[in-house]
Amino acid sequence: MTTPVVLFTSDARDFDGYTWHSAPTTYLEAVLDVSGGLPVILSAFGPRLDLDAVLDRVDGVVATGSKTNVHPSHYGVAATEAMGPYDEVRDATSLPLIRRTIERGIPLLCICRGLQELNVALGGSLASDVQELPGRMDHRHPDVADMDGKFAIRHGVTIAAGGCLGRIVEGEIQVNSLHRQAVARLSDRLAVEATAPDGTIEAVSVKGAPGFTLGVQWHPEYWGAADGPSKAILEAFGAAIAAEAARR
Ligand SMILES: N[C@@H](CCC(=O)NCCCC(=O)O)C(=O)O
């Protein structure tokens, strides 16, 4: 069987006089090493892209995390500087990519910003600085310099029984947390798959989706091989992309 090919979203980052279309290596390596997919990064050229031309050639899609936030104009809210930073070329690529991937039944894994994009792409909205909302935890990463500290496992989430995620992991699991935005109005096309103790939606799936579709607010890619639930999620995505490769 040929190796499944997995498409990754990219961020537009300015460095050394260029704009780079890039994705963090942790997501790429987790899919390569745990899910068994060949990682390919999609350029963030938005409407200039023929998405079907690339989706004809892949077996899965990953929408990665990012420090940047989905531009609030995509969910009917006026943008402020405090709600940034933004990456509008990423939005212009990821949001239609997510919708078309779901329509075509191609396996889709959305992580952190990716979950937020999934909700917005399907008509939902986001809340900013959730740590400032009454009764909510601080979901931002710890104020430390090292990446292992930033991505440390540090709060529980309760998995909804019998759902897409519930068939992969059960009960309560421990996860890392590096976000200041979260789902506000959940798209009516999404089902809640996990919640944090403060009620923050931590995982979703697409109701009636023809293929594997999972969004998680935490980062299974970072401890992909070492952490049981993370590995189970990546392996379940691996099974879905392998089946897609065999079908295609
Ligand atoms: N920007 C959004 C999404 C957060 C996210 O994707 N975090 C992963 C990267 C975090 C980092 O490297 O600092 C939000 O803040 O909610």
Side-chain angles (χ1 to χ4, degrees):
M1 182 193 82
T2 60
T3 301
V5 177
V6 177
L7 191 67
F8 286 76
T9 55
S10 63
D11 289 16
R13 292 285 176 94
D14 293 330
F15 171 68
D16 207 15
Y18 296 97
T19 295
W20 299 67
H21 296 211
S22 57
T25 191
T26 45
Y27 302 85
L28 308 176
E29 287 185 297
V31 166
L32 179 65
D33 295 338
V34 184
S35 305
L38 189 161
V40 171
I41 297 173
L42 176 64
S43 53
F45 285 129
R48 296 163 63 184
L49 297 177
D50 176 352
L51 291 176
D52 279 322
V54 67
L55 289 174
D56 285 346
R57 293 164 171 82
V58 301
D59 307 300
V61 173
V62 173
T64 72
S66 175
K67 284 181 187 292
T68 66
N69 295 326
V70 179
H71 197 278
S73 61
H74 291 291
Y75 49 92
V77 170
T80 65
E81 188 175 347
M83 295 172 76
Y86 302 118
D87 183 348
E88 294 195 70
V89 293
R90 160 129 185 198
D91 295 341
T93 308
S94 290
L95 298 178
L97 174 68
I98 285 169
R99 286 189 287 263
R100 190 66 183 127
T101 299
I102 295 168
E103 287 167 7
R104 294 187 53 157
I106 295 171
L108 174 64
L109 178 60
C110 299
I111 296 173
C112 207
R113 190 196 211 264
L115 175 147
Q116 296 166 2
E117 289 172 331
L118 174 60
N119 185 48
V120 171
L122 299 185
S125 68
L126 303 177
S128 282
D129 291 310
V130 291
Q131 69 279 355
E132 295 173 8
L133 299 178
R136 304 295 280 271
M137 297 156 43
D138 188 344
H139 290 261
R140 293 171 297 180
H141 64 71
D143 186 13
V144 296
D146 69 299
M147 293 298 276
D148 286 359
K150 282 177 66 175
F151 283 84
I153 302 287
R154 61 193 190 83
H155 76 70
V157 297
T158 301
I159 308 297
C164 173
L165 184 57
R167 290 189 290 273
I168 301 169
V169 289
E170 293 181 325
E172 177 169 310
I173 64 171
Q174 297 298 308
V175 300
N176 47 26
S177 187
L178 298 91
H179 62 105
R180 50 187 267 250
Q181 295 202 326
V183 171
R185 183 183 72 254
L186 181 70
S187 163
D188 59 12
R189 293 190 53 196
L190 295 178
V192 176
E193 294 279 350
T195 54
D198 66 352
T200 297
I201 293 173
E202 290 277 344
V204 298
S205 61
V206 178
K207 297 174 187 172
F212 177 104
T213 59
L214 183 64
V216 290
Q217 191 63 78
W218 66 90
H219 290 270
E221 84 289 347
Y222 192 83
W223 303 106
D227 171 63
S230 298
K231 188 177 183 202
I233 290 167
L234 291 163
E235 288 178 338
F237 181 63
I241 62 175
E244 180 67 11
R247 185 198 65 75
R248 191 164 63 85

